[in-house]
């Protein structure tokens, strides 16, 4: 069975600084990988997804993520964060033949002025 | 702007009471998921439907939880009787088979059982 690990429970970043959120997955074959964002009091919103092809994927709100098979990772990055990026971020994995997404435990991002 | 609508947004009830949460998926979406979010367990999949038929409810406590889709525009999640450990935020999400995992989430129903 597939699994997702987000090693960082909480990250604090200064506004304007760069950001990298870590995600590691466990799955025998090529996974389908996702990042979702949850703003306070809201549901989750899809930021970006990786199915195949180019390992660097672009998403909404200026986010990108890179799939690294050798490291079983799919880290989320943003070159310069804005106060509105404060939220909880979830990495998720889907696999062929399984319609269910497996979510990580989330990383809470705090932005300081 | 198409979105998933959930009601109620907040519910406080006493132990033993019946609770019903409702979800209106995005028009045209044929797959509906129910998730529960708690601090301890994170996001857990409770059940999901395709074309109104239940495909998997293995994540749901069978003795007290039930999920249905009376029609394509309404999904319900019922808890009877409710217990304090059911306190959580319950999310509904919808999607299209063929674009699976690209889920659209509602804003959630926050349930508190006293």
């Amino acid at each position: 069975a597939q699994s997702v690990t987000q090693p960082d429970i909480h990250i604090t970043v200064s506004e304007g600084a760069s950001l990298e959120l870590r995600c590691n997955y466990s799955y025998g074959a090529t996974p389908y990988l996702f990042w979702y964002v949850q703003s306070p009091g809201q549901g989750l919103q899809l930021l970006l997804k990786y199915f195949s092809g180019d390992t660097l994927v672009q998403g909404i709100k200026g986010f990108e993520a890179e799939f690294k098979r050798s490291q079983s990772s799919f880290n989320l990055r943003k070159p310069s964060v804005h106060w509105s990026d404060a939220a909880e971020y979830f990495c998720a994995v889907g696999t062929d033949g399984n319609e269910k997404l497996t979510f990580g435990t989330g990383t809470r991002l705090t932005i300081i002025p | 702007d198409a979105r998933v609508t959930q009601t109620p947004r907040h519910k406080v009830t006493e132990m033993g009471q019946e609770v019903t949460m409702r979800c209106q998926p995005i028009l045209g979406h044929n797959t509906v998921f129910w998730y529960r979010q708690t601090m301890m367990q994170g996001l857990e999949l409770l059940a999901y439907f395709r074309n109104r038929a239940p495909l998997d409810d293995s994540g749901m406590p069978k003795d007290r939880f039930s999920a249905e889709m009376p029609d394509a525009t309404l999904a319900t999640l019922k808890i009877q009787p409710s217990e304090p450990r059911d306190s959580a935020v319950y999310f509904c999400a919808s999607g299209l088979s063929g674009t699976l995992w690209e889920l659209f989430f509602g804003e959630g129903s926050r349930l508190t059982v006293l």
Side-chain angles (χ1 to χ4, degrees):
Chain A
Q2 68 272 22
S3 66
V4 177
T5 302
Q6 294 181 249
D8 304 306
I9 296 173
H10 187 199
I11 283 185
T12 299
V13 176
S14 297
E15 189 168 15
S18 64
L19 170 71
E20 182 167 25
L21 301 182
R22 296 184 291 164
C23 171
N24 293 98
Y25 69 90
S26 174
Y27 183 60
T30 300
Y32 305 116
L33 296 161
F34 304 81
W35 277 98
Y36 280 82
V37 60
Q38 183 181 25
S39 297
Q42 303 295 312
L44 280 70
Q45 179 185 20
L46 180 64
L47 275 179
L48 47 78
K49 60 185 183 286
Y50 171 78
F51 284 171
S52 64
D54 193 346
T55 56
L56 184 64
V57 293
Q58 303 296 320
I60 62 171
K61 306 185 182 190
F63 286 92
E64 65 178 25
E66 186 170 13
F67 171 59
K68 293 186 177 179
R69 185 189 302 276
S70 61
Q71 298 177 19
S72 298
S73 69
F74 189 56
N75 294 350
L76 182 71
R77 302 194 294 246
K78 187 170 184 177
S80 175
V81 298
H82 185 262
W83 64 266
S84 60
D85 293 325
E88 184 130 20
Y89 291 80
F90 293 89
C91 184
V93 62
T95 59
D96 264 336
N98 185 348
E99 296 178 296
K100 299 183 285 188
L101 268 181
T102 299
F103 284 91
T105 51
T107 297
R108 181 172 299 279
L109 176 64
T110 297
I111 308 295
I112 56 176
Chain B
D1 187 22
R3 59 192 180 117
V4 176
T5 303
Q6 290 187 246
T7 57
R9 291 294 314 278
H10 302 273
K11 175 75 175 179
V12 179
T13 191
E14 294 190 346
M15 183 173 62
Q17 296 298 305
E18 178 179 299
V19 175
T20 298
M21 290 168 275
R22 293 176 174 81
C23 167
Q24 180 176 1
I26 290 174
L27 190 64
H29 281 187
N30 64 346
T31 309
V32 173
F33 296 78
W34 282 105
Y35 283 90
R36 177 170 62 183
Q37 185 179 41
T38 61
M39 291 291 292
M40 295 300 296
Q41 301 295 326
L43 272 164
E44 303 173 275
L45 178 65
L46 297 176
Y48 80 100
F49 295 77
R50 183 193 292 158
N51 297 325
R52 296 176 54 200
L55 292 189
D56 188 340
D57 61 1
S58 58
M60 219 162 55
K62 300 291 191 304
D63 55 339
R64 299 184 299 107
F65 283 59
S66 61
E68 295 179 341
M69 280 200 74
D71 61 61
T73 65
L74 176 65
T76 62
L77 180 67
K78 187 178 296 186
I79 308 174
Q80 168 62 20
S82 58
E83 298 181 0
R85 59 179 167 154
D86 301 329
S87 298
V89 182
Y90 291 81
F91 287 103
C92 174
S94 71
L96 269 175
S97 55
T99 61
L100 284 176
W101 312 299
E102 297 185 38
L103 301 179
F104 292 79
F105 281 76
E107 293 182 320
S109 294
R110 180 176 295 275
L111 173 65
T112 302
V113 183
L114 303 174

